[in-house]
Amino acid sequence: MVTRTYEVRIHGCLMNVHDSERNAGLLDKAGYAPVADGAQPGVVVSSTRALRENADNKLASNLGHLKPVKHRTPGMQIAVGLHRMFSSLAGILGFPP
């Protein structure tokens, strides 16, 4: 059996570290393993709390770098975790506050 691997990438403030550790724990419980240094993960999770300009730019850049990797890697998954959305961001995205 092949073990699925993951990498969690953090964008934004230090509070995202805690959220990302929780995400990693959930992936571990689901049978995934952290990717070894230099290896290509099967799942990349980009974690942020709010899309402020700096975090937004880093996330967009990261996703841009992942696009060709995704095309070369069948089955690779990319996830974006937006933690604790602020009311203003929820409004921008069209969700109720």
Side-chain angles (χ1 to χ4, degrees):
M1 179 178 182
V2 176
T3 301
R4 298 275 304 199
T5 59
Y6 70 89
E7 178 182 355
V8 177
R9 298 181 182 181
I10 303 167
H11 308 278
C13 71
L14 291 176
M15 290 300 293
N16 294 337
V17 173
H18 173 71
D19 294 329
S20 297
E21 288 171 350
R22 288 180 26 216
N23 288 339
L26 292 171
L27 288 164
D28 290 339
K29 286 181 183 178
Y32 290 76
V35 70
D37 286 341
Q40 183 60 50
V43 176
V44 175
V45 178
S46 290
S47 180
T48 186
R49 279 185 167 238
L51 292 178
R52 295 183 182 137
E53 185 174 357
N54 193 33
D56 181 22
N57 292 338
K58 287 181 183 179
L59 177 59
S61 175
N62 190 295
L63 292 174
H65 286 87
L66 286 172
K67 185 176 181 178
V69 177
K70 169 86 171 128
H71 286 297
R72 291 190 312 264
T73 313
M76 180 184 181
Q77 296 176 310
I78 300 171
V80 177
L82 184 58
H83 304 283
R84 297 188 177 103
M85 286 196 324
F86 298 111
S87 294
S88 59
L89 181 60
I92 291 168
L93 296 175
F95 296 110

